[in-house]
């Protein structure tokens, strides 16, 4: 079967440097406004390098573009520029608002969709919707200012420029004829009622590596003719030679990827005659002398950025115009647009169809589309990420000295000088989060394991490598603050990836386990201030979920002990326990380590349920729920403590802290077994956290933070439609707080209310909300937890679904129903629209909009409408995990 061809390519490129992985969608959707490009003293990345500078200012650490690709080192980039004859600048990159410009934080203002892809990027397709009217840059800024925090985020379609379908649908398709031979087709269709002009300018350029005083070697692009055709030849000291062929006879434009110092900063002159915006100024402004213009022959001098200018003065309504190009290593192809081009396009498309069919053979068509689009988007989030913090802090020799404040106490990432990365990393999305985040990456690895287990494992290991992990064991959170803390879900993700393969990769498990030992120690030493086994972690990825900023110090001498942080650490202990047990099957020395983690879990469980500060745990017996706890030491040596009685996701996280010990543990690992039995005899209070089953001569055990009685009470809230259970998943804050709730703790009163959609508070920038919406990562974890409960109890653990209905179902059936509700976000309803479309333009019944699914960052807790980042197929691609079955039952490995 040709379906096996893509798997064969993966096997051929099993390592990160494999040939089929060399080229991919690694070009970011946004580089401006990132921390990497911020050399200000203030740390305001958005204003230091704004969108308006991007067309004329060279980037230091990366590049960006539309529908683009690059090599895995980010040296040579290929992307698309467009002009409709009306815009004031070339459309070379997606436009969006900086954090302070958006009424709900940063927000991209474009429409595009990743249509298809394969894990080796042998086949990729992306659709960009380009307006025929002048792009309303200023209008979008004004609309966002006027909307305020209470208003919906204005989108491009809200300006009216797309009315009557007056746009071009531009589909860019990549098909690899070989690892270093890439066929490209750009097809633009006029969907409007009238003829309209269009200029297509595929561009090839080198990332600027020579202007900073650290490496003077300069690559070169030269416009020429190869075998009678227009071409650009690229020479790079590390990458070698590549030839980009163009079909037809476009005008070739050559400039340099250099900053226009005169235009941007009022300098007397520029370093070079031609600058980054030279092609833009020639095409849009009609300027002469800003770039080399080659109609025939060869450019007089090499450059570092080139474009092939295809002009279509009138594209009729419904007409499609097509541009073809081919990027080939070496001196080019003898017949670049001959039969081999069509064969590559046809064969790669068919192989992609069969590859995805192997994943979706038992799904109906709507679910197949969700699965394929989510995986295509996930694979497109792979981006080249380059950042050497020491050089960034100190500044570059050929640039002005870095401000002293960049290196002072409290400066951003000043304690992460060891951080030095240049790799392909899975990002949350390509525009709003064009940087890795620790817990996002862990969740992203899980659906990646469905299609590319080697990449999933490499990503999890990468974050733990010595050039990323801090010497003290902390994992870097995200570039805005590497020292922040994301939830410790890395071990969970590693187990999921390990179990996804039919043949266990114990070498991977051993490698990741030893690194996570260091990370676990960091958590214990840094986030349990008084050794109480109750943890404080900050916001832990859940942004504004609490009535106060949980990353900020409490007032006075009060301390916050977190239900979610403590639950994450209990789960972390159990995940490392499971790893150690698995590794102990081949190396008995791991039994001792397994013993360490079962003991640590039991200590945390005891503190969580019973003791805590002032003999008060995080469990609230009267309410039957788990809450954060604030406490302080009194002068008399006693302890004051109060629960923060807000029903939020932090009280559901204890459900995740559970693990099943299968019969083989007790038959194969006598050292661990005897130590566990000893602990339970000597400290009988631990027995409440372990449940035994005896089946014949075999026994199983379940370790859990909540016993069966407490679990039922928590699930009673979770599965109550008046509380957490929405038509489309589990809300992050109970809807019982819809009218707001006043909570008093630490001597102050606080108000928090259920907000199903966009946040009304500016906390954490206001660009995400955990006060009611549905988030896929925590929901996926809860689905798995319910399945584990069902597996251990052999279908005998029952709950009401929904709570109070009298409809008793097993925990497994509850998991299935929750998964069904989550998937339904992306499925058409009776009128053909999807809940995720909400009130956006995608909800229209037009066949031009309806097929395209937006995989948003999170979803409205009442309606399921997609919110936040609109292309976050990072963790939202977990929907693929819900749609597919694992290779084998993860809890029954014998």
């Amino acid at each position: 079967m040709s379906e096996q061809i893509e798997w064969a390519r993966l096997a051929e490129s099993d390592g990160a440097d494999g040939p089929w992985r060399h080229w991919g969608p690694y070009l970011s959707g946004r580089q401006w406004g990132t921390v990497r490009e911020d050399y200000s003293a203030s740390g305001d990345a958005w204003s230091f390098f704004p969108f308006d500078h991007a067309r004329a200012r060279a980037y230091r650490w990366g590049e960006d573009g539309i529908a683009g690709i690059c090599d895995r080192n980010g040296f040579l980039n290929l992307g698309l520029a467009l002009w409709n004859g009306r815009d004031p600048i070339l459309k070379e990159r997606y436009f969006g608002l900086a954090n302070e410009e958006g009424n709900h934080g940063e927000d991209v203002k474009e429409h595009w969709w990743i249509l298809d892809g394969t894990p080796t990027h042998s086949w990729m397709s992306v659709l960009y919707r380009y307006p025929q009217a002048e792009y309303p840059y200023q209008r979008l800024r004004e609309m966002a200012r006027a909307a305020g925090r209470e208003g919906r985020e204005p989108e491009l379609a809200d300006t009216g420029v797309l009315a009557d379908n007056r746009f071009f649908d531009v589909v860019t398709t990549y098909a690899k004829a070989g690892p270093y031979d890439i066929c490209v087709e750009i097809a633009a269709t006029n969907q409007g009622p009238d003829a309209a002009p269009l200029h297509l300018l595929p561009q090839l350029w080198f990332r600027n590596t020579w202007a900073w005083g650290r490496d003077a070697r300069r690559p070169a692009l030269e416009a020429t003719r190869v075998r009678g055709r227009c071409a650009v030849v690229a020479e790079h000291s590390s990458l070698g030679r590549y030839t980009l062929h163009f079909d037809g006879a476009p005008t070739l434009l050559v400039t340099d990827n250099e900053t226009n110092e005169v235009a941007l900063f009022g300098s007397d002159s520029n370093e070079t005659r031609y600058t980054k915006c030279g092609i833009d100024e020639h095409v849009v402004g009609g300027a002469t002398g800003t770039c080399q213009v080659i109609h025939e022959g060869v450019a007089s001098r090499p450059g570092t950025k080139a474009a092939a200018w295809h002009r279509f003065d009138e594209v009729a309504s419904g007409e499609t115009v097509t541009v073809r190009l081919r990027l080939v290593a070496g001196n080019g192809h003898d017949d670049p647009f001959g039969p081999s081009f069509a064969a590559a396009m046809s064969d790669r498309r068919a192989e992609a169809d069969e590859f995805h069919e192997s994943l979706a053979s038992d799904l109906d068509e709507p679910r197949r589309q969700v699965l394929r689009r989510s995986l295509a988007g996930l694979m497109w989030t792979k981006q080249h990420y380059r950042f050497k913090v020491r050089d960034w802090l100190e500044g570059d020799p050929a640039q002005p000295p870095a401000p002293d404040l960049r290196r002072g106490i409290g400066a951003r990432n000043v304690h992460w000088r060891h951080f030095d990365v240049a790799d392909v990393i899975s990002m949350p999305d390509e525009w709003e989060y064009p940087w890795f985040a620790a817990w996002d990456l862990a969740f992203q690895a899980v659906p990646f394991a469905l299609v590319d287990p080697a990449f999933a494992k490499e990503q999890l290991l990468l974050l733990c490598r010595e050039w990323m992990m801090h010497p003290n064991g902390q994992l870097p959170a995200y570039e805005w603050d590497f020292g922040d803390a994301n939830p410790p879900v890395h071990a969970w993700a590693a187990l999921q990836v390990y179990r996804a393969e039919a043949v266990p990769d114990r070498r991977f498990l051993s490698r990741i386990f030893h690194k996570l030992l260091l990370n676990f120690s960091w958590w214990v030493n840094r986030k349990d201030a008084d050794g109480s086994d109750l943890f404080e972690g900050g916001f832990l990825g859940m942004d504004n979920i609490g009535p106060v900023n949980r990353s900020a110090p409490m007032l006075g001498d009060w301390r916050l002990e977190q239900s979610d942080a403590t639950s994450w650490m209990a789960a972390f202990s159990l995940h490392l326990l499971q790893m150690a047990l698995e590794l102990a099957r081949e190396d008995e020395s791991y039994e001792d380590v397994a013993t360490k983690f079962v003991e640590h879990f039991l200590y945390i469980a005891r503190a969580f349920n019973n003791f805590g500060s002032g003999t008060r745990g995080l469990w609230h017996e009267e309410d039957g729920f788990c809450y954060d706890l604030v406490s302080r030491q009194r002068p008399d040596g006693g302890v004051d403590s109060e629960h923060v009685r807000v029903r939020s996701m932090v009280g559901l996280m204890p459900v995740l802290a559970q693990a099943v010990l299968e019969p083989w543990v007790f038959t194969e690992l006598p050292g661990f077994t005897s130590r566990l039995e000893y602990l339970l005899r000597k400290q009988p209070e631990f027995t409440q956290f372990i449940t035994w089953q005896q089946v014949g001569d075999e026994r199983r055990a379940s370790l859990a933070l909540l016993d069966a009685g407490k679990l039922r009470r928590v699930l009673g809230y979770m599965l109550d439609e008046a509380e957490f259970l929405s038509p489309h998943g589990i809300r992050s804050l109970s809807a019982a707080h819809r009218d707001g709730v006043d909570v008093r703790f630490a001597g102050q009163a606080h108000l928090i209310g259920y907000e199903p959609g966009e946040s009304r508070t500016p906390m954490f920038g206001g660009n995400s909300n955990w006060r009611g919406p549905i988030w896929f990562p925590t929901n996926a974890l809860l689905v798995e937890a319910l399945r584990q409960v069902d597996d251990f109890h052999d279908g005998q653990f029952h709950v009401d679904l929904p709570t109070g209905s009298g409809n008793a179902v097993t925990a497994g059936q509850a998991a299935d129903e929750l998964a069904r509700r989550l998937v339904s976000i992306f499925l058409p309803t009776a009128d053909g629209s999807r809940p995720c479309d909400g009130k956006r333009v995608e909800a229209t019944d037009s066949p031009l909009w309806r097929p395209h699914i937006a995989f948003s960052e999170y979803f409205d807790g009442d309606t399921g409408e997609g919110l936040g980042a609109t292309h976050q197929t990072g963790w939202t691609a977990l929907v693929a995990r819900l749609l597919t079955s694992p290779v084998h039952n993860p809890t029954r490995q014998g």
Side-chain angles (χ1 to χ4, degrees):
M1 293 176 59
S2 57
E3 166 255 317
Q4 297 175 351
I5 293 176
E6 182 62 16
W7 289 109
R9 292 192 189 103
L10 285 169
E12 182 182 337
S13 295
D14 192 42
D17 295 325
W20 284 96
R21 300 180 188 274
H22 188 73
W23 286 90
Y26 312 142
L27 178 65
S28 178
R30 175 174 66 85
Q31 183 70 13
W32 62 272
T34 59
V35 168
R36 284 156 285 164
E37 302 300 334
D38 176 20
Y39 283 81
S40 69
S42 66
D44 186 353
W46 293 103
S47 61
F48 181 79
F49 203 132
F51 172 83
D52 294 331
H53 279 201
R55 60 185 284 271
R57 184 170 165 185
Y59 294 124
R60 171 64 176 89
W61 295 99
E63 292 291 338
D64 58 20
I66 294 174
I69 64 171
C70 68
D71 66 277
R72 67 169 294 107
N73 294 306
F75 291 133
L76 187 58
N77 306 273
L78 177 63
L80 178 62
L82 310 96
W83 189 48
N84 55 18
R86 296 182 173 88
D87 283 351
I89 58 173
L90 274 182
K91 176 61 70 173
E92 296 179 275
R93 57 189 52 80
Y94 301 125
F95 172 69
L97 301 186
N99 205 357
E100 69 279 1
E101 294 178 309
N103 62 323
H104 290 287
E106 66 267 25
D107 182 30
V108 68
K109 303 299 184 185
E110 305 272 10
H111 296 286
W112 80 97
W113 300 272
I114 310 305
L115 301 180
D116 207 3
T118 55
T120 65
H121 313 302
S122 59
W123 172 259
M124 297 179 287
S125 184
V126 55
L127 164 63
Y128 173 57
R129 185 151 286 172
Y130 183 45
Q132 294 173 0
E134 179 178 337
Y135 192 92
Y137 293 104
Q138 188 57 31
R139 174 69 176 140
L140 285 164
R141 288 180 169 126
E142 293 168 354
M143 290 172 68
R145 281 197 298 269
R149 187 165 296 282
E150 297 296 321
R152 292 175 60 84
E153 289 186 5
E155 304 294 350
L156 178 60
D158 298 330
T159 66
V161 298
L162 303 178
D164 301 321
N165 299 333
R166 294 184 185 276
F167 49 76
F168 287 97
D169 273 347
V170 185
V171 177
T172 303
T173 302
Y174 295 92
K176 292 183 182 177
Y180 311 105
D181 182 354
I182 306 168
C183 301
V184 188
E185 182 179 88
I186 303 165
T189 302
N190 180 358
Q191 304 288 12
D194 304 312
L198 180 64
H199 301 244
L200 296 174
L201 296 95
Q203 299 190 114
L204 188 71
W205 72 99
F206 284 110
R207 176 169 54 85
N208 188 322
T209 57
W210 55 87
W212 321 108
R214 296 184 182 275
D215 186 349
R217 293 175 296 174
R218 182 187 293 264
L221 294 175
E222 184 176 358
T224 185
R225 297 186 71 81
V226 176
R227 298 171 186 86
R229 292 184 178 273
C230 292
V232 170
V233 175
E235 291 276 3
H236 189 275
S237 57
S238 299
L239 197 60
R241 170 176 288 193
Y242 273 84
T243 301
L244 180 61
H245 298 277
F246 301 100
D247 196 13
T251 300
L252 299 185
L253 308 174
V254 180
T255 188
D256 288 312
N257 187 12
E258 299 270 14
T259 299
N260 189 330
E261 302 278 352
V262 174
L264 291 180
F265 307 115
S267 300
D268 293 334
S269 62
N270 290 313
E271 290 291 325
T272 58
R273 177 181 176 185
Y274 304 120
T275 62
K276 182 177 178 179
C277 56
I279 294 171
D280 184 328
E281 291 174 338
H282 177 73
V283 172
V284 176
T288 59
T290 62
C291 64
Q292 297 181 78
V293 182
I294 302 99
H295 297 287
E296 297 287 344
V298 178
S300 60
R301 59 178 293 276
T304 49
K305 178 181 178 181
W309 188 6
H310 300 79
R311 285 174 280 194
F312 302 97
D313 294 331
E314 275 203 356
V315 181
S317 174
E319 182 185 1
T320 298
V321 294
T322 302
V323 168
R324 299 191 300 172
L325 45 153
R326 190 164 186 170
L327 181 66
V328 185
N331 295 320
H333 196 282
D334 289 338
D335 188 11
F337 303 106
S340 66
F341 187 97
M345 286 285 176
S346 175
D347 292 347
R348 298 301 91 82
R349 182 192 298 270
E351 291 156 9
D353 288 344
E354 292 178 358
F355 178 83
H356 286 281
E357 174 63 21
S358 71
L359 302 172
S361 58
D362 58 345
L363 299 179
D364 60 20
E365 186 54 37
R367 287 171 176 79
R368 287 172 186 240
Q369 183 186 33
V370 173
L371 179 63
R372 190 161 182 169
R373 287 288 188 95
S374 66
L375 290 174
L378 176 70
M379 290 183 277
W380 194 271
T381 65
K382 293 162 68 171
Q383 308 284 289
H384 173 75
Y385 185 88
R386 182 178 295 265
F387 196 17
K388 187 174 183 179
V389 170
R390 180 179 296 275
D391 288 355
W392 177 77
L393 288 169
E394 295 174 355
D396 293 312
Q399 299 298 308
D404 290 340
L405 288 175
R406 287 178 59 81
R407 300 186 297 275
I409 296 174
R412 175 175 286 149
N413 296 327
V414 71
H415 299 300
W416 289 78
R417 291 176 176 270
H418 74 285
F419 189 96
D420 184 4
V421 178
D423 216 321
V424 171
I425 305 181
S426 176
M427 307 295 179
D429 79 13
E430 66 171 312
W431 195 92
E432 281 168 89
Y433 302 100
W435 30 262
F436 74 89
W439 78 318
D440 294 67
L441 186 145
F443 288 116
Q444 289 151 211
V446 174
F448 258 121
L450 297 171
V451 293
D452 193 351
F455 181 76
K457 290 182 284 188
E458 181 267 330
Q459 289 291 285
L460 292 171
L461 288 166
L462 177 63
L463 207 63
C464 297
R465 293 307 301 266
E466 54 273 20
W467 52 84
M468 293 192 76
M469 175 184 272
H470 197 280
N472 65 17
Q474 184 180 10
L475 296 182
Y478 45 86
E479 67 179 28
W480 291 92
D481 184 0
F482 286 139
D484 210 335
N486 274 184
V489 294
H490 226 66
W492 168 82
L495 276 171
Q496 301 306 307
V497 171
Y498 172 76
R499 291 166 173 169
E501 293 191 283
V503 179
D505 184 353
R506 284 192 170 86
R507 181 175 180 273
F508 159 72
L509 195 66
S510 177
R511 291 180 68 194
I512 197 80
F513 176 76
H514 286 97
K515 289 291 190 176
L516 290 176
L517 289 178
L518 303 176
N519 184 235
F520 185 87
S521 296
W522 177 84
W523 275 92
V524 170
N525 293 327
R526 298 298 181 92
K527 296 299 183 179
D528 181 12
D530 62 355
S532 66
D533 293 313
L534 296 179
F535 290 80
E536 59 226 75
F539 80 99
L540 284 178
M542 294 186 185
D543 295 1
N544 56 19
I545 197 168
V548 297
N549 184 344
R550 300 194 306 163
S551 288
M554 295 288 293
L555 290 175
D557 53 357
W558 290 93
R559 172 177 172 242
L560 180 70
E561 295 166 320
Q562 293 177 223
S563 173
D564 54 335
T566 306
S567 301
W568 289 124
M569 285 303 293
F572 196 0
S573 300
L574 291 176
H575 295 142
L576 290 177
L577 165 65
Q578 291 171 294
M579 288 185 180
L581 292 172
E582 185 69 25
L583 294 168
R585 305 181 79 174
E586 294 185 353
D587 184 346
E588 64 181 15
S589 65
Y590 284 96
E591 287 192 67
D592 293 340
V593 188
T595 298
K596 177 261 188 298
F597 285 112
V598 77
E599 290 192 27
H600 212 120
F601 166 74
L602 292 170
Y603 294 144
I604 294 173
R606 180 174 61 184
F608 186 99
N609 284 273
N610 300 310
F611 297 105
S613 298
T615 68
R616 189 196 297 257
L618 303 177
W619 170 257
H620 193 285
E621 179 61 29
E622 180 183 350
D623 290 359
F625 201 68
C626 307
Y627 299 118
D628 288 347
L629 189 73
V630 294
S631 62
R632 68 176 176 182
Q633 194 84 22
R634 294 198 306 265
D636 63 4
V639 175
D640 294 324
S641 59
E642 303 172 57
H643 285 108
V644 181
R645 293 175 68 182
V646 175
R647 288 196 295 279
S648 74
M649 184 67 73
V650 305
L652 302 181
M653 292 301 94
V655 176
L656 308 181
Q658 56 175 301
V660 176
L661 306 183
E662 295 294 345
W664 62 262
V665 172
F666 305 107
T667 57
E668 296 181 26
L669 307 177
F672 171 80
T673 301
S674 62
R675 179 60 181 170
L676 178 59
E677 291 171 344
Y678 174 84
L679 276 172
L680 297 178
R681 285 196 308 272
K682 293 298 182 179
Q683 300 189 66
E685 71 272 16
F686 287 158
T687 58
Q688 64 183 298
F689 311 119
I690 186 164
T691 304
W692 295 94
Q693 281 183 355
Q694 191 76 32
V695 181
D697 295 332
E698 294 185 331
R699 58 177 176 163
R700 302 170 76 207
S702 172
L703 293 161
L705 200 56
L706 302 177
D707 62 28
K710 291 175 180 174
L711 177 62
R712 289 184 191 281
R713 296 183 72 184
V714 171
L715 292 181
Y717 288 106
M718 188 178 97
L719 300 178
D720 188 339
E721 292 181 323
E723 296 262 0
F724 288 98
L725 182 62
S726 87
H728 305 293
I730 301 300
R731 303 173 172 111
S732 49
L733 188 74
S734 171
H737 299 321
R738 194 179 294 272
D739 296 328
V741 58
D742 287 299
V743 289
R744 187 173 184 85
F745 56 89
Q748 290 192 321
H750 305 273
L751 176 67
I752 187 171
Y754 170 71
E755 300 175 23
E758 297 283 13
S759 174
R760 295 192 292 269
T761 171
M763 194 184 300
F764 294 98
N767 57 334
S768 66
N769 185 21
W770 283 81
R771 296 186 172 186
I774 300 154
W775 292 79
F776 250 79
T778 47
N779 269 260
L781 288 171
L782 290 168
V783 168
E784 185 205 355
L786 288 171
R787 295 200 195 286
Q788 287 183 334
V789 171
D790 187 66
D791 177 81
F792 180 74
H793 291 280
D794 293 323
Q796 299 306 306
F797 188 98
H798 291 85
V799 293
D800 263 12
L801 182 65
T803 298
S805 67
N807 178 41
V809 300
T810 67
Q813 290 170 328
D816 291 342
E817 173 61 14
L818 178 52
R820 185 198 66 78
R821 293 186 184 214
L822 290 163
V823 172
S824 74
I825 290 173
F826 307 103
L827 296 178
T829 58
D831 67 357
S833 64
R834 293 171 290 258
C836 63
D837 297 336
K839 298 178 181 178
R840 299 199 309 264
V841 65
E842 289 89 345
T844 177
D845 59 4
S846 166
L848 295 178
W849 291 98
R850 179 140 295 177
H852 304 304
I853 307 171
F855 293 91
S856 297
E857 184 181 3
Y858 54 101
F859 301 87
D860 188 285
D862 290 339
T863 68
E865 179 179 4
L867 302 167
T870 52
H871 292 77
Q872 193 152 346
T873 38
W875 62 24
T876 302
L878 283 163
V879 68
R881 171 70 178 263
L882 300 177
L883 285 165
T884 56
S885 298
V887 173
H888 57 291
N889 189 327
T891 64
R892 295 282 188 167
Q893 296 185 82

